[in-house]
Amino acid sequence: MKKIFMIFLLLFVTSCASKNKEQVVVFNAGEYMDMDLIKQFEKDTGIEVIYQTFQSDEEMFVKLTQSANNYDVVVPMDYMVEKLLKYDMLAPIDFSNVPNAKYIMDQYKNLPFDPEGKYTVPYFTSSFGIVYNKDMVDKPIDSWADLWDPKYKGEIIMYDLPRLSISVALQKLGYSINTTDMKEINQATEELIKQKPLVYAYLTDEARDVIIQGDAAMTVMYSGDALLMSKENPNLKYVIPKEGGNRQVDSLAIPKKAKNKKNAEIFINYFTNPKISAANAEWMEGFTSPLKGVREMLPDYIKNSNEAYPDEKTLPKIEMFKDLEDYMEVYNNAWVKVLASY
């Protein structure tokens, strides 16, 4: 009996210690952070990290509406920050706990989705363009219209996300990726329906391996993934088409009902340290750090790459996604129409 009592006592003490341990719950998009750096953060601060993942910003939004107090740090895209603020779901950051915010480059401060810079710290940025295999095309690809070229029938991959693929068609037509004009949205939908017989498949991350292996000639892709792809297959090239592209800014933010707000700010500050950001960026291979001094610490193949650090002076028109509120249902319905077409 004494032995059993001691076992129960040990379990009770362990349980209490676990409950009393400092924690921070991080909700991020898949493997979008070096887990070795997470372990280093735990070692350096004594704060345990509970790392949870989501597949899309929309999934993250639903989870936050259901249980916002379950998370301390979230990593939303630009348009999702805008939406979260409209619903009053983010807490202002106490920047006295985030002194490393001084390293944020000026061009990434007070962005349109957080104009006062009170609720977010930029994490990584990337662009959206075309990756193509130079050995499988007869001329350099430089236009969204190349994704509609009949000569590449069965060799084109489109991204299986409504907002992204419809934005490709909108830019091909010369329209804004944030349009709410039904005529323009319908035209873009018809363009995608016309393109469908040429499409090898509608994929997301799986497109990377298909293109690397040479099973298709081109795909739309994030710049961060594009650098990794070109490392695996030197015949691959990334381009932002001449009609324009999309820039994504992902941020670190704190839900309004977070249980561990100070720990969240300590976490955000840690990953806004240029040395930590550089290690994280090297592990991510291709996503652009918005912090001063990071680029100089990266390997040459990253810091000199067009994917991670393009020449801003030569870039075509770049837009960021905005929250379209009820019009997202219009975009989703348009995408369903594309996929159901013959």
Side-chain angles (χ1 to χ4, degrees):
M1 287 294 294
K2 185 176 179 181
K3 185 176 182 181
I4 294 174
F5 172 77
M6 291 301 295
I7 292 173
F8 275 110
L9 181 62
L10 179 61
L11 290 173
F12 175 76
V13 170
T14 303
S15 175
C16 289
S18 177
K19 288 179 181 178
N20 293 329
K21 187 172 185 178
E22 291 289 321
Q23 291 184 337
V24 62
V25 182
V26 179
F27 200 26
N28 200 355
E31 296 181 359
Y32 196 21
M33 190 170 278
D34 185 348
M35 298 310 294
D36 285 342
L37 293 175
I38 294 280
K39 293 176 183 175
Q40 188 63 44
F41 169 83
E42 292 178 320
K43 181 180 178 181
D44 291 344
T45 66
I47 299 171
E48 179 186 17
V49 177
I50 309 299
Y51 189 87
Q52 300 182 16
T53 64
F54 55 83
Q55 295 299 314
S56 69
D57 279 67
E58 286 68 29
E59 178 191 341
M60 178 196 68
F61 179 79
V62 171
K63 290 286 182 69
L64 286 180
T65 57
Q66 293 171 344
S67 51
N69 64 339
N70 285 352
Y71 309 105
D72 301 312
V73 177
V74 292
V75 191
M77 283 178 63
D78 30 48
Y79 76 91
M80 186 53 67
V81 171
E82 189 180 353
K83 184 170 183 176
L84 291 168
L85 287 175
K86 284 178 182 177
Y87 283 82
D88 193 26
M89 294 173 66
L90 295 181
I93 294 172
D94 180 353
F95 280 93
S96 67
N97 293 324
V98 190
N100 286 330
K102 66 185 178 183
Y103 295 111
I104 300 170
M105 295 180 187
D106 289 343
Q107 63 263 42
Y108 295 110
K109 294 178 179 177
N110 301 15
L111 292 171
F113 54 83
D114 183 13
E116 296 181 45
K118 292 170 56 178
Y119 298 91
T120 60
V121 170
Y123 177 56
F124 277 125
T125 79
S126 61
S127 61
F128 194 67
I130 300 174
V131 174
Y132 68 95
N133 190 319
K134 292 179 288 186
D135 288 347
M136 297 177 70
V137 299
D138 58 6
K139 65 178 182 64
I141 301 299
D142 67 354
S143 169
W144 291 117
D146 290 321
L147 296 169
W148 274 258
D149 192 329
K151 74 176 72 170
Y152 302 121
K153 181 177 181 179
E155 296 182 345
I156 298 164
I157 297 175
M158 292 294 287
Y159 220 83
D160 190 16
L161 285 177
R163 191 82 190 269
L164 286 175
S165 280
I166 293 173
S167 76
V168 168
L170 287 169
Q171 288 176 118
K172 175 181 181 286
L173 294 167
Y175 301 142
S176 168
I177 62 175
N178 295 304
T179 185
T180 55
D181 184 316
M182 285 305 305
K183 182 180 178 181
E184 294 177 356
I185 294 171
N186 288 335
Q187 286 182 23
T189 304
E190 290 304 314
E191 284 291 309
L192 291 167
I193 290 173
K194 291 177 186 176
Q195 181 205 36
K196 190 173 182 181
L198 309 177
V199 175
Y200 171 92
Y202 298 96
L203 304 172
T204 52
D205 292 345
E206 313 94 290
R208 293 178 299 205
D209 290 336
V210 176
I211 296 294
I212 289 170
Q213 294 163 8
D215 293 331
M218 64 186 77
T219 185
V220 285
M221 186 59 62
Y222 288 108
S223 57
D225 294 312
L227 180 59
L228 177 62
M229 293 167 69
S230 63
K231 185 181 176 184
E232 295 289 325
N233 183 344
N235 289 325
L236 301 182
K237 182 174 176 61
Y238 175 75
V239 62
I240 298 175
K242 59 188 178 184
E243 298 90 351
N246 160 242
R247 169 166 286 160
Q248 170 183 317
V249 178
D250 297 317
S251 298
L252 300 166
I254 303 173
K256 192 169 186 178
K257 297 182 180 179
K259 295 176 183 176
N260 304 294
K261 186 173 185 289
K262 186 172 182 181
N263 289 350
E265 289 161 348
I266 292 170
F267 183 90
I268 290 172
N269 186 61
Y270 192 87
F271 279 87
T272 311
N273 178 318
K275 289 184 179 180
I276 297 298
S277 183
N280 204 20
E282 183 173 353
W283 184 81
M284 291 295 301
E285 286 192 311
F287 288 86
T288 308
S289 172
L291 303 180
K292 300 171 186 175
V294 169
R295 182 179 183 181
E296 292 74 16
M297 289 187 272
L298 295 172
D300 287 346
Y301 81 94
I302 298 178
K303 72 180 179 184
N304 296 330
S305 71
N306 183 57
E307 292 89 346
Y309 294 96
D311 183 354
E312 298 284 339
K313 297 177 182 177
T314 63
L315 285 179
K317 176 184 174 183
I318 298 291
E319 283 188 274
M320 286 194 296
F321 282 133
K322 297 178 181 178
D323 175 34
L324 297 181
E325 297 182 327
D326 294 341
Y327 274 89
M328 269 313 301
E329 184 175 354
V330 174
Y331 276 69
N332 291 337
N333 290 339
W335 188 239
V336 170
K337 185 178 179 181
V338 172
L339 296 182
S341 65
Y342 292 97

